[in-house]
Amino acid sequence: MADLISRPTWARRPATIGLALGSGVARGWAHIGIIRALEREGIQPDIICGTSIGAVVGGSYVAGKLDNVEEWARAMTQRRLFRFLDFGIGSGGLLQGKKLAAELNDALGDLEIQHLGRRFVAVTTELATGHEIWLRQGHMVEAMRASYALPGIFTPVKVEGRWLIDGALVNPVPVSTCRAFGARLVIAVNLNADIFGMGTVRKGDRLESDEELDAENAEARSMLAGARLSNRMAMRQLLGTTKGTPGLTTVMFGAFNIVQDRLARSRLAGDPPDVLVNPPVAHIGLLDFHRAEESIKLGEQAMVEAIPMIHEALSVLN
C-alpha cells in the first residue's frame, strides 16, 4: 500500500491512448481498416486527432457513425464521385464542396464536437497566417470541411471569422496534437510513407478525361454537355485534357503529395509517435475514392501487424 501511495497519480491509471490519423485524400479510407483492427483488439483510443481525410474518418468514429461512412465509401464509384463535383468559379476553389458537405450531414447529423463522449480534434490551417488551428468544438461537419479544404480545389471554410484550409499544409500526421491533449501512448497513421521512389503523381491522381468519361459513363457525359459555359471551362481545367501539358489536378495533387511527404517526415522526426503505422497505399491515387475496399483492407492489415507493438507499449506504460 505504501508503495502504491508513493507512485505518481498517472501511474495508477491506464495510459491515455491517442490516435493520429493522417492526410491522404482517397487513401484515407485505410483509416477505416485501422480502426476496425483496433476495435477487434479491444483498444479504444481516448483522443482522436485527424487531418483532412483523417478528420473525416476520425470524427465519424468518435460520433459512432463509422458504419455509415464505411457503407458510403464502399458504395462509391467513379460515377458517384462525379456527382459531387459542384463547380463554382470565383468561390475560392474549383469545387464549392456543398454536395459533399450535404452527404456528410446526412451521415452524421447536426453533431457538436464538444458533446461527443471522447476527445476529437480536427487539424486545419488558417489561410491568412499559416497558423495550425485545432478545432475541438463546434459543428462536426464544418470542422471536417475546414480540415480537408485543399487549396485551389475546395472553397476555404470560414470558422469564427477565420478562413481555414487543409490541415495537411501544416501537420499531415497530428502526433503533436494528440500529445498536447494528454496522450501518453500515440498511435500514428501515415498514408504517405511509401510515396518516395514511386513518383509523385499516378494515373489516379486526376479525374477521367472527357473521352474516358464518354466511353464508360453516359450519365457523366450528359452532365458535362448540359453544364453552363463557365462550368464547362472549369471542368475541362480540372479534368486536365490539355495535350502535352499537365492538367490542373495533376499539378495540384503532385504538389500536394510533395508537401505531405516532406512535411510528414519532418514532423514525425521531430515528434515521433510511440507506434507508427504505414499502410502501403501509395499506389492508390489521391482521387481513387472508388477503391475503398482495397484501402480499408490495406489499413486493416497494417494495423494487425502493429498490434503487438501497441500491447508491448501499453504493458510498459501501465
Side-chain angles (χ1 to χ4, degrees):
M1 179 65 70
D3 179 63
L4 178 62
I5 294 175
S6 66
R7 295 170 64 193
T9 304
W10 56 260
R12 302 197 297 271
R13 296 196 304 263
T16 302
I17 301 173
L19 179 61
L21 301 177
S23 59
V25 197
R27 298 170 191 146
W29 294 144
H31 291 317
I32 297 175
I34 293 286
I35 293 171
R36 294 307 189 197
L38 287 173
E39 286 181 326
R40 283 201 307 271
E41 284 294 314
I43 299 172
Q44 291 192 342
D46 304 284
I47 302 164
I48 295 89
C49 300
T51 298
S52 198
I53 186 68
V56 174
V57 176
S60 302
Y61 169 53
V62 176
K65 302 291 185 179
L66 190 60
D67 288 345
N68 303 54
V69 172
E70 181 176 356
E71 181 181 359
W72 179 67
R74 288 183 182 275
M76 182 63 67
T77 62
Q78 289 178 312
R79 176 183 300 181
R80 289 194 67 192
L81 175 61
F82 196 84
R83 293 173 181 168
F84 290 111
L85 306 185
D86 48 352
F87 295 90
I89 298 298
S91 64
L94 284 177
L95 304 179
Q96 299 179 60
K98 293 180 179 179
K99 292 183 178 179
L100 180 56
E103 194 76 15
L104 288 172
N105 272 314
D106 288 342
L108 299 174
D110 194 25
L111 290 174
E112 296 286 324
I113 297 174
Q114 65 271 21
H115 296 154
L116 300 175
R118 278 181 285 176
R119 170 77 72 181
F120 169 72
V121 182
V123 178
T124 185
T125 307
E126 186 176 14
L127 179 61
T129 64
H131 291 165
E132 181 176 341
I133 304 297
W134 297 341
L135 299 179
R136 57 186 188 275
Q137 60 183 9
H139 193 253
M140 173 67 84
V141 173
E142 184 178 59
M144 290 177 175
R145 288 185 63 197
S147 190
Y148 69 66
L150 182 63
I153 301 298
F154 284 108
T155 302
V157 178
K158 195 171 188 178
V159 178
E160 295 183 356
R162 296 182 291 191
W163 288 105
L164 304 178
I165 55 177
D166 201 310
L169 296 173
V170 289
N171 198 352
V173 187
V175 174
S176 58
T177 315
C178 287
R179 295 206 189 280
F181 286 97
R184 292 202 63 221
L185 172 65
V186 177
I187 305 166
V189 184
N190 181 14
L191 302 177
N192 305 293
D194 58 339
I195 287 177
F196 181 75
M198 298 187 65
T200 57
V201 181
R202 281 154 296 285
K203 185 174 184 280
D205 290 345
R206 63 177 180 82
L207 298 178
E208 303 301 315
S209 67
D210 291 350
E211 292 77 11
E212 290 166 326
L213 284 171
D214 287 346
E216 67 181 39
N217 189 351
E219 182 178 352
R221 179 183 58 191
S222 65
M223 290 172 64
L224 183 61
R228 296 176 304 187
L229 179 60
S230 60
N231 278 2
R232 286 175 61 90
M233 293 172 63
M235 287 180 181
R236 292 184 181 279
Q237 191 177 18
L238 181 64
L239 293 171
T241 58
T242 304
K243 294 181 179 180
T245 59
L248 178 60
T249 52
T250 301
V251 174
M252 287 292 300
F253 287 117
F256 189 60
N257 261 330
I258 294 169
V259 170
Q260 285 187 107
D261 177 39
R262 299 305 189 265
L263 186 54
R265 291 191 209 186
S266 175
R267 295 294 299 254
L268 290 172
D271 190 5
D274 300 288
V275 178
L276 180 60
V277 185
N278 299 313
V281 291
H283 64 286
I284 296 176
L286 294 178
L287 292 175
D288 284 347
F289 287 99
H290 59 287
R291 298 173 68 176
E293 183 174 354
E294 180 183 0
S295 298
I296 293 170
K297 183 177 181 180
L298 290 171
E300 190 170 7
Q301 290 173 344
M303 180 52 79
V304 167
E305 294 175 4
I307 290 295
M309 290 185 288
I310 297 174
H311 283 307
E312 183 178 354
L314 286 173
S315 67
V316 173
L317 292 173
N318 289 335

